[in-house]
Amino acid sequence: ELKVEQNPLFLSMQEGKNYTIYCNYSTTSDRLYWYRQDPGKSLESLFVLLSNGAVKQEGRLMASLDTKARLSTLHITAAVHDLSATYFCAVQRNDMRFGAGTRLTVKP
Amino acid sequence: DTEVTQTPKHLVMGMTNKKSLKCEQHMGHRAMYWYKQKAKKPPELMFVYSYEKLSINESVPSRFSPECPNSSLLNLHLHALQPEDSALYLCASSPPPAGQGIRTEAFFGQGTRLTVV
């Protein structure tokens, strides 16, 4: 069974700092997703990564995928308060399973 | 159009009621999903439909009954629910794993917040 592990589960950052969220998964996958969720809201798609070495960037967020290590990272550069949210990775094979989520708080 | 539309947005139902949640997409996606999400937890997979056929049922109790009438619609019929079934129910769609195409993303609807009283 596909298992997805995400860490850290909680992340408190200062504005302007950099940090990385990690997502490990147990079997080969077809696609890896990163989502953002604000409290009480649905999931907002951030990135979809398809192949080994894929790197995508949007603003202060950059996601990468290493299929050999079964590892994806979400790197946050110069964090700002607006990035405070919960971030999930999800791995798709015949289904789509989520990591536990990283609750990110960015403090001034 | 990258929307997945779920109705209703909020639903309060008694334990003896029968209700249905609806989900619609017009992106040509042939995989559709139901997830249940409790507060401060990740979405938990319930059902997967691939090409309108139920491909995965994650041992969900029979008081939840999914239906996929066509490639654009997905329903979740609810009957005799328990208070612990109160949660955010999310629908998603994506190209199927083996599918190829320009759009590869999975999109989520806004969810139905269900309260069972």
Side-chain angles (χ1 to χ4, degrees), chain A:
Chain A
E1 181 186 313
L2 174 61
K3 293 193 188 307
V4 183
E5 291 187 357
Q6 192 175 334
N7 67 83
L9 300 183
F10 299 93
L11 181 53
S12 181
M13 297 177 65
Q14 282 203 301
E15 280 191 333
K17 298 289 188 184
N18 305 333
Y19 211 83
T20 301
I21 300 171
Y22 297 89
C23 176
N24 287 90
Y25 54 98
S26 59
T27 65
T28 57
S29 75
D30 295 301
R31 300 181 191 126
L32 189 136
Y33 300 92
W34 284 97
Y35 290 95
R36 169 183 172 143
Q37 188 174 39
D38 291 292
K41 304 288 187 182
S42 185
L43 295 156
E44 175 191 350
S45 178
L46 296 174
F47 302 107
V48 55
L49 303 168
L50 301 178
S51 58
N52 190 41
V55 177
K56 291 194 174 179
Q57 182 161 7
E58 181 74 33
R60 299 175 189 275
L61 301 178
M62 184 175 72
S64 66
L65 179 62
D66 180 344
T67 57
K68 293 178 182 174
R70 295 178 187 161
L71 170 68
S72 179
T73 61
L74 180 66
H75 188 71
I76 302 156
T77 301
V80 293
H81 179 68
D82 284 353
L83 290 179
S84 297
T86 299
Y87 292 84
F88 291 101
C89 65
V91 178
Q92 184 174 20
R93 292 190 69 196
N94 296 317
D95 52 17
M96 185 164 53
R97 297 194 184 265
F98 284 76
T102 297
R103 196 174 311 163
L104 172 65
T105 304
V106 181
K107 299 180 176 178

Side-chain angles (χ1 to χ4, degrees), chain B residues 71-113:
Chain B
S71 61
S72 299
L73 292 175
L74 185 65
N75 298 321
L76 186 63
H77 303 298
L78 314 173
H79 173 53
L81 295 192
Q82 304 296 310
E84 59 264 30
D85 297 321
S86 299
L88 180 67
Y89 288 84
L90 293 164
C91 172
S93 72
S94 77
Q100 299 297 317
I102 296 171
R103 301 209 72 90
T104 54
E105 295 170 68
F107 292 93
F108 280 79
Q110 291 304 301
T112 294
R113 189 158 298 280

Side-chain angles (χ1 to χ4, degrees), chain B residues 55-69:
Chain B
S55 60
I56 294 178
N57 176 344
E58 289 290 303
S59 302
V60 178
S62 59
R63 58 185 184 268
F64 295 91
S65 175
E67 178 196 21
C68 190

